[in-house]
Amino acid sequence: MPTAPEALQAAATAIRVLTVDAVRAAGIGHVGLPLGCAEIGSVLFSEFLKHDPADPKWFDRDRFVLSAGHGSMLLYSLLHLSGYEVSLEDIGQFRQLGSNTPGHPEVGHTPGVETTTGPLGQGVGNAVGFALAERLLAERFGEGVVNHRTYALASDGDMMEGVASEAASLAGHLRLGKLIVIYDDNGITIDGKTDVAFKEDTAKRFEAYGWHVQKIDGHDPEQIRTALKNAGANEEKPHLIVAKTQIGFSSPKVGTNTAHGHLSDADVDATRLGLKWELTPFKLLDTAYEAFKPVRARGKQEHEAWQKRLDAALAKPELKELWERMVERKLPANLDALFPDFSKEKAMATRQASGKIINALAAEVPSLIGGSADLAGSNNTTISGSKVVAYGDFAGRNLAFGVREHGMGAIANGLVLHGGIRPYVATFLVFSDYMRPSIRLASLMDLPVTYVFTHDSIFVGEDGPTHQPVEHVAALRTIPNLQVWRPGDARETVAAWRGALLRTGGPTALALTRQNLEPFEGPGIEEKARRGGYVLLDAAEPELVIVATGSEVSISLEAAKTLNG
Amino acid sequence: MPTAPEALQAAATAIRVLTVDAVRAAGIGHVGLPLGCAEIGSVLFSEFLKHDPADPKWFDRDRFVLSAGHGSMLLYSLLHLSGYEVSLEDIGQFRQLGSNTPGHPEVGHTPGVETTTGPLGQGVGNAVGFALAERLLAERFGEGVVNHRTYALASDGDMMEGVASEAASLAGHLRLGKLIVIYDDNGITIDGKTDVAFKEDTAKRFEAYGWHVQKIDGHDPEQIRTALKNAGANEEKPHLIVAKTQIGFSSPKVGTNTAHGHLSDADVDATRLGLKWELTPFKLLDTAYEAFKPVRARGKQEHEAWQKRLDAALAKPELKELWERMVERKLPANLDALFPDFSKEKAMATRQASGKIINALAAEVPSLIGGSADLAGSNNTTISGSKVVAYGDFAGRNLAFGVREHGMGAIANGLVLHGGIRPYVATFLVFSDYMRPSIRLASLMDLPVTYVFTHDSIFVGEDGPTHQPVEHVAALRTIPNLQVWRPGDARETVAAWRGALLRTGGPTALALTRQNLEPFEGPGIEEKARRGGYVLLDAAEPELVIVATGSEVSISLEAAKTLNG
């Protein structure tokens, strides 16, 4: 039901005033997007978004991603107006150390924030991951249990970033029809008018990806409403809503790149005057909340109805177990027993061991869903007996990402953030660079993504220097909260995969070989390797200590034996 | 003049036979693209490409980029047939250590190879850089001196990579009409049919970028010819020629992903039989060279005519000096005197010092052309008094890359490879990850690109963890042949920029601060800093040694003084 026009306008005005006040108080920040998208945000959060502010983690809520994370004051304002635990006092602490309203939205830090954004393009990729997770889980649990939309608000910068292009192409391919991206087409970037560097026809580009595209005036609530309704009525294609807006709307700097950042005191005062807002900072009239009044009750009602459907569905023991395994992340009690026993195997590449491990675990760890950026065969990532996920067929567990490493990384983050999926994604180690910004964000967000990086060293040989990783393991090790394993034989690969699976607070990178490696001798290698490092060959009074990982361990062992005479 | 059909077919057949023989001899490699693109390559190299095989470095040659570097046997075959120093013996050594026919093309290693490719998407970005360099230099030296096309051959994988999307969008924006990309649309990637992950309408996408698009049968010489002619006749837009080909054409594995890699002996034999080729491996009939006979003479003639035009143009002393400064990379004799004197300045951010240095050098170092990924103001990279480079106006020196860091990196590599431009490119240090694959390739190719990375530490503060680089300096330092400077005050920034400018064999990354830094005391800081490290505060018998770079040096100095009491 559409909100009364006055109520909606009061909400939009409140967003604008909170934004200029918060950015003024912080002395730094970005007013442009919140001022430009206040109507979009108000209509979306008050009329369309399925959410229960009393339980920001409700599993079947619609997801909202502010891909243009610098516009964080829009999100904080909307969360406050909707009734999340973001108070006016919190907003008064915008960008202060320890506040729950940081400069860019951070998941896990502020109730209602779904993902950490700021580095442009990533949020669009995350949103594709959310929408893909939704389809994968709806297929497994039914649409009574999983059936929600994913919304994202993106800026010009998001549209220019390659990671978003890659993810958008894959979303079109998979026809993720419950994904709705609103593009804040304000024609301004930090350096000035976008046409200084960006004249493409973005709407046409997204049509080429297989998206349904609408163009609207982003300040007209009725047009926003109609576009969102149309998008909701067509689930055959993902949706791009190109919303023409004026950056910094209602401020004296409207339509200029000055409005991207923060406003002068005089401009803040003029903005407030223009909006007829005479209250002290961080105070709102009751009318500001009018449009959002139905939100909590509606959310509660929908949530309760869903809970009943969930309870009914989980009456089936197999679905209950699946729910525990996937959504509640419960690992099988006999996890260690599930790993293959490599103790009697001959020389084997660790990528091959990894492939056997994935397949050995697959049946009991149904959340393990993953794939490769067009190197599934080389990366040994295919779950045999399972199909490639495709439009109309989301039952499979093999994801074909195409040659889109960066999009894959951002989508994997969205799969974890959604919940229910424990993704592994793969490419050659040398191409880990292509997805590094997403790996960094997974680390920052504590997301247990597993990266299967094969062809781990100069032993790839004849493909030459473009394909020989030299610095990549060292470079990955510099990322805080990323765990990097470089197993030296098949049994160490068990330890590595076990570490990845048991980890809940961050991602794991596995650097695996193409070439065969001799197995280490002796018992308990799987257990020893869990420590990260251990002694393979000892001497009473060593004159020389050789330290090695992965590809080089068996060579080093040989060297040590030779040196020992 | 079109080549006789039989001669062209003989050339295409020779390419196919050399390819299967070379890959068989190596035991590894990729036959799919060379078999599929033999006609495209033959028509392009024999009839259209302006080149002088006797002088692969002729400045005004057309550039050809094999973006799909795994198809290297196509390029080596074409170079051999055209008369470059790539012999049949060299081809017999395909993928062998020390040969000049490595697995992926490597610039500086094989005459006629313009850039190192293999990591997908990069070549398309390089090609945009070549085409941009051509326009920049044509504007400065006139079209009598610089007037050539840039061709690229790209695969499905190139089309999927975000770096290529970013570069293509910018090429459309700048309307680089002498750029012609041929897309080998064979419908197959390593993992199978492309439609497993790639169903977008690529032609429409490129139209959306502002490109002119043609679709042809890539096995029909007449259609190839017509498309290349059309492309040559319209310089208002960059060109995409979508060439439908059959991967592995002429082999029993035609049209399958098996043909992407190498063929079995039986398949090689069958291919040769089908092509009626009964010679021993690495032997060619004279007819194979027939189509290429006019190439050398035509190249020589065009080269000589150009030399006369160049000599005439350089009769003007100002153009001669400009040529020396730009194309011959001659730095001013008084380089050191050109740098600003910061010895009497107060506290200053090193990004600000960098901006002053760029502007102080700009007049005397005309090859210094650069810009930022939409952060020119924050990165301090604008050359004042110079315009932003735009379609119809390539006289400026400020490049606006838009929010496209990765495309920027790949384009910068192309600008250096072309010759004449000494680019600097900029973003926040934390976003260096977005362009890391291009930085790695610049390092591998010994290209003196300068990276201006500002906002170098957690001192960016309120923007929060997404914008605070923690591991980035360490991670950049792991890349072999990348020189990383993190100056601690304005005078150290002089040393860093001087190091970057004097460097000819590789790229340089400058990590610069947003916040002001106190200047170091004492004389000769500029000279001391050249050593990379030096003692700022000494003690006779130190109990503690404090080592610091960049942002932390002045704090460390203060700490040392406090500790000294």
Side-chain angles (χ1 to χ4, degrees):
Chain A
M1 177 179 352
T3 316
E6 312 75 47
L8 199 78
Q9 207 47 62
T13 298
I15 292 168
R16 294 193 165 104
V17 173
L18 285 178
T19 295
V20 297
D21 283 350
V23 173
R24 166 151 71 179
I28 186 169
H30 300 271
V31 304
L33 184 140
L35 295 189
C37 294
E39 284 82 11
I40 293 169
S42 299
V43 173
L44 178 60
F45 269 65
S46 68
E47 299 179 30
F48 286 85
L49 199 71
K50 177 173 79 171
H51 58 146
D52 179 5
D55 183 3
K57 294 279 168 206
W58 171 29
F59 196 73
D60 200 39
R61 70 193 180 279
D62 287 346
R63 268 56 167 186
F64 173 76
V65 175
L66 181 68
S67 190
H70 56 273
S72 53
M73 266 311 300
L74 175 71
L75 182 52
Y76 300 145
S77 304
L78 288 167
L79 292 175
H80 170 72
L81 293 171
S82 303
Y84 289 83
E85 287 188 11
V86 176
S87 67
L88 289 174
E89 290 68 39
D90 292 330
I91 289 177
Q93 293 297 306
F94 181 54
R95 282 180 166 256
Q96 301 309 303
L97 193 64
S99 81
N100 75 354
T101 48
H104 295 83
E106 291 174 38
V107 68
H109 195 79
T110 311
V113 169
E114 301 282 5
T115 176
T116 297
T117 50
L120 292 171
Q122 301 289 335
V124 174
N126 298 163
V128 174
F130 282 122
L132 174 56
E134 195 269 350
R135 283 296 85 196
L136 291 168
L137 295 169
E139 178 74 32
R140 283 152 178 79
F141 294 101
E143 296 213 330
V145 176
V146 181
N147 183 6
H148 69 80
R149 297 188 197 287
T150 301
Y151 296 94
L153 182 57
S155 62
D156 302 295
D158 290 298
M159 293 290 121
M160 285 189 250
E161 289 285 5
V163 57
S165 303
E166 292 177 17
S169 177
L170 192 64
H173 171 82
L174 291 171
R175 302 176 71 171
L176 300 174
K178 293 164 90 173
L179 171 64
I180 300 167
V181 176
I182 304 165
Y183 163 29
D184 173 31
D185 182 15
N186 62 31
I188 297 291
T189 59
I190 297 178
D191 277 352
K193 294 193 177 175
T194 49
D195 67 7
V196 79
F198 188 56
K199 278 199 209 97
E200 62 164 57
D201 182 344
T202 306
K204 183 170 174 175
R205 171 156 68 93
F206 274 73
E207 284 175 2
Y209 291 139
W211 289 48
H212 176 251
V213 179
Q214 302 173 76
K215 291 187 185 184
I216 62 165
D217 173 352
H219 295 297
D220 179 345
E222 199 44 47
Q223 290 192 34
I224 298 166
R225 207 168 271 137
T226 306
L228 288 171
K229 268 186 207 156
N230 289 343
N234 168 3
E235 296 189 354
E236 291 296 298
K237 291 178 172 190
H239 296 271
L240 183 73
I241 299 175
V242 181
K244 267 279 173 214
T245 67
Q246 295 187 60
I247 192 170
F249 194 75
S250 307
S251 83
K253 293 291 181 288
V254 58
T256 71
N257 61 334
T258 309
H260 180 87
H262 76 285
L263 299 175
S264 67
D265 276 359
D267 283 339
V268 172
D269 290 339
T271 305
R272 297 176 113 255
L273 202 67
L275 292 169
K276 302 195 190 350
W277 198 273
E278 284 152 33
L279 296 172
T280 50
F282 309 114
K283 296 282 171 213
L284 296 184
L285 288 174
D286 284 350
T287 51
Y289 300 94
E290 185 76 24
F292 292 86
K293 269 193 185 148
V295 168
R296 289 184 76 108
R298 196 171 62 221
K300 185 165 183 282
Q301 191 186 5
E302 290 176 323
H303 189 162
E304 284 171 359
W306 171 83
Q307 187 65 49
K308 280 184 196 146
R309 295 196 302 275
L310 177 69
D311 293 343
L314 300 196
K316 291 189 196 155
E318 68 276 18
L319 266 197
K320 185 167 165 50
E321 198 189 333
L322 193 63
W323 185 262
E324 287 169 358
R325 287 280 163 91
M326 296 190 80
V327 180
E328 294 169 7
R329 291 185 177 182
K330 206 182 266 185
L331 286 169
N334 64 339
L335 182 68
D336 285 340
L338 296 175
F339 284 91
D341 176 10
F342 291 126
S343 63
K344 280 158 199 121
E345 295 277 354
K346 298 215 172 119
M348 183 188 292
T350 54
R351 64 168 169 163
Q352 199 186 343
S354 170
K356 287 177 190 287
I357 291 166
I358 291 170
N359 277 283
L361 295 169
E364 297 294 321
V365 189
S367 58
L368 206 57
I369 293 178
S372 163
D374 195 44
L375 292 167
S378 299
N379 299 144
N380 291 59
T381 48
T382 303
I383 295 180
S384 60
S386 187
K387 282 185 284 187
V388 172
V389 170
Y391 172 69
D393 188 358
F394 287 88
R397 293 173 62 178
N398 295 304
L399 299 171
F401 289 99
V403 190
R404 304 184 184 98
E405 298 84 4
H406 201 178
M408 174 172 75
I411 290 169
N413 291 351
L415 291 172
V416 178
L417 285 162
H418 182 280
I421 316 290
R422 181 82 201 212
Y424 60 93
V425 295
T427 183
F428 291 157
L429 177 60
V430 81
F431 300 139
S432 59
D433 279 349
Y434 272 76
M435 53 192 296
R436 195 171 162 92
S438 300
I439 300 173
R440 178 175 184 265
L441 280 164
S443 306
L444 205 55
M445 292 191 275
D446 306 335
L447 306 181
V449 178
T450 303
Y451 304 105
V452 177
F453 293 137
T454 70
H455 297 56
D456 82 319
S457 70
I458 58 164
F459 288 101
V460 301
E462 322 88 346
D463 275 327
T466 55
H467 284 57
Q468 292 172 357
V470 171
E471 73 275 24
H472 297 78
V473 169
L476 288 170
R477 289 201 201 277
T478 66
I479 299 179
N481 198 34
L482 173 67
Q483 282 196 359
V484 181
W485 295 78
R486 192 161 177 253
D489 80 346
R491 286 193 286 167
E492 283 199 353
T493 311
V494 168
W497 256 110
R498 183 177 175 278
L501 279 176
L502 290 176
R503 204 165 183 223
T504 54
T508 301
L510 311 177
L512 306 172
T513 67
R514 180 183 71 165
Q515 81 278 13
N516 284 342
L517 293 179
E518 288 297 328
F520 303 148
E521 288 164 20
I525 297 291
E526 296 89 341
E527 288 75 25
K528 287 182 189 167
R530 290 179 197 168
R531 286 178 247 157
Y534 60 101
V535 176
L536 256 178
L537 184 68
D538 213 349
E541 290 179 31
E543 287 175 67
L544 180 71
V545 175
I546 304 178
V547 179
T549 65
S551 285
E552 294 86 35
V553 178
S554 40
I555 297 171
S556 302
L557 263 177
E558 233 176 290
K561 286 173 187 166
T562 307
L563 287 169
N564 280 343
Chain B
M1 178 178 354
T3 315
E6 312 76 47
L8 200 79
Q9 208 47 64
T13 299
I15 292 168
R16 293 193 165 104
V17 173
L18 285 177
T19 295
V20 296
D21 283 350
V23 174
R24 166 150 70 179
I28 186 169
H30 301 270
V31 305
L33 184 140
L35 295 188
C37 295
E39 284 83 11
I40 292 168
S42 298
V43 172
L44 179 60
F45 269 65
S46 70
E47 299 178 31
F48 286 84
L49 199 71
K50 178 173 79 172
H51 58 146
D52 179 5
D55 182 4
K57 292 281 167 203
W58 170 30
F59 196 72
D60 200 40
R61 69 194 181 277
D62 286 347
R63 268 56 167 189
F64 173 76
V65 175
L66 181 68
S67 190
H70 57 273
S72 53
M73 267 310 301
L74 176 71
L75 182 52
Y76 300 145
S77 304
L78 288 166
L79 292 174
H80 169 72
L81 293 170
S82 303
Y84 288 82
E85 288 189 10
V86 177
S87 66
L88 289 174
E89 291 68 39
D90 292 330
I91 289 177
Q93 293 297 306
F94 181 55
R95 282 179 164 255
Q96 300 310 301
L97 194 64
S99 81
N100 74 354
T101 49
H104 294 83
E106 292 175 36
V107 67
H109 194 80
T110 311
V113 169
E114 302 281 5
T115 177
T116 297
T117 50
L120 291 171
Q122 301 290 335
V124 173
N126 298 163
V128 174
F130 282 122
L132 174 57
E134 196 267 351
R135 283 296 84 195
L136 291 168
L137 294 169
E139 179 74 31
R140 284 152 178 78
F141 294 102
E143 297 214 328
V145 175
V146 181
N147 184 4
H148 68 80
R149 296 186 198 290
T150 301
Y151 296 94
L153 182 57
S155 62
D156 302 296
D158 290 298
M159 293 290 120
M160 284 189 252
E161 289 285 5
V163 57
S165 303
E166 292 178 15
S169 177
L170 192 63
H173 171 81
L174 292 171
R175 302 175 71 170
L176 299 173
K178 295 164 90 173
L179 171 64
I180 300 166
V181 175
I182 303 164
Y183 163 30
D184 173 31
D185 182 15
N186 62 31
I188 296 291
T189 59
I190 296 179
D191 276 352
K193 294 193 178 175
T194 50
D195 67 8
V196 79
F198 188 57
K199 278 200 208 94
E200 62 163 56
D201 182 345
T202 306
K204 183 170 175 176
R205 172 157 66 95
F206 273 73
E207 284 174 0
Y209 292 140
W211 289 49
H212 176 251
V213 179
Q214 302 174 73
K215 291 186 184 186
I216 62 166
D217 173 352
H219 294 297
D220 179 345
E222 199 44 46
Q223 290 192 34
I224 298 166
R225 209 169 270 137
T226 305
L228 289 171
K229 269 187 206 153
N230 290 343
N234 167 2
E235 296 189 353
E236 291 296 298
K237 291 178 171 190
H239 296 271
L240 183 73
I241 299 174
V242 181
K244 269 275 173 217
T245 67
Q246 295 188 59
I247 193 170
F249 193 76
S250 308
S251 83
K253 293 291 181 288
V254 60
T256 71
N257 61 336
T258 309
H260 179 88
H262 78 284
L263 299 174
S264 68
D265 276 359
D267 284 338
V268 172
D269 290 338
T271 306
R272 298 177 112 258
L273 202 66
L275 291 168
K276 302 195 189 354
W277 199 272
E278 285 152 33
L279 297 170
T280 51
F282 308 113
K283 295 283 172 212
L284 296 184
L285 288 174
D286 284 350
T287 51
Y289 301 94
E290 185 77 22
F292 291 86
K293 269 195 185 147
V295 168
R296 290 185 74 106
R298 197 171 60 222
K300 186 165 184 281
Q301 192 187 3
E302 289 176 322
H303 189 162
E304 284 170 357
W306 172 82
Q307 187 65 49
K308 281 185 195 143
R309 294 196 302 275
L310 177 68
D311 293 344
L314 300 194
K316 288 189 197 155
E318 68 276 18
L319 267 196
K320 185 167 164 52
E321 200 191 330
L322 193 64
W323 185 263
E324 287 170 359
R325 287 278 164 90
M326 297 190 79
V327 180
E328 293 169 8
R329 292 185 176 182
K330 206 183 264 182
L331 287 169
N334 64 337
L335 182 69
D336 285 338
L338 295 175
F339 284 91
D341 177 9
F342 291 125
S343 63
K344 278 156 201 124
E345 295 277 356
K346 296 210 173 128
M348 183 190 290
T350 54
R351 63 168 169 161
Q352 198 186 345
S354 170
K356 287 177 189 286
I357 291 166
I358 291 170
N359 277 282
L361 295 169
E364 297 294 321
V365 189
S367 58
L368 205 58
I369 292 177
S372 163
D374 196 43
L375 292 167
S378 300
N379 299 144
N380 291 59
T381 47
T382 304
I383 295 180
S384 60
S386 188
K387 284 184 283 188
V388 172
V389 170
Y391 173 68
D393 188 358
F394 286 89
R397 293 172 63 178
N398 295 306
L399 299 171
F401 288 100
V403 190
R404 302 183 185 99
E405 298 82 5
H406 202 177
M408 174 172 76
I411 290 169
N413 291 351
L415 291 172
V416 178
L417 286 162
H418 182 280
I421 316 289
R422 181 83 200 212
Y424 59 94
V425 295
T427 184
F428 291 156
L429 177 60
V430 82
F431 300 139
S432 59
D433 279 349
Y434 272 75
M435 54 192 296
R436 195 173 162 90
S438 299
I439 300 174
R440 177 173 185 264
L441 280 165
S443 306
L444 205 55
M445 293 192 273
D446 307 335
L447 306 181
V449 177
T450 303
Y451 304 105
V452 177
F453 292 137
T454 70
H455 297 55
D456 82 320
S457 69
I458 56 163
F459 287 101
V460 301
E462 321 88 344
D463 276 325
T466 55
H467 284 58
Q468 292 172 356
V470 171
E471 73 277 23
H472 297 78
V473 168
L476 288 170
R477 290 199 201 279
T478 66
I479 300 179
N481 198 34
L482 173 67
Q483 283 196 357
V484 181
W485 294 79
R486 191 162 178 252
D489 79 346
R491 286 193 287 167
E492 284 200 353
T493 312
V494 168
W497 256 110
R498 183 178 174 277
L501 279 175
L502 289 176
R503 205 166 181 221
T504 54
T508 301
L510 312 177
L512 306 171
T513 67
R514 180 182 72 164
Q515 81 279 15
N516 284 343
L517 293 179
E518 288 297 327
F520 302 148
E521 287 164 20
I525 296 292
E526 296 89 341
E527 289 75 25
K528 286 182 190 166
R530 290 179 196 167
R531 286 179 246 156
Y534 61 100
V535 177
L536 256 178
L537 185 69
D538 213 350
E541 289 180 29
E543 286 174 67
L544 180 73
V545 176
I546 304 177
V547 180
T549 64
S551 285
E552 294 86 36
V553 179
S554 41
I555 297 171
S556 302
L557 261 177
E558 234 177 290
K561 285 174 188 166
T562 307
L563 288 168
N564 279 344

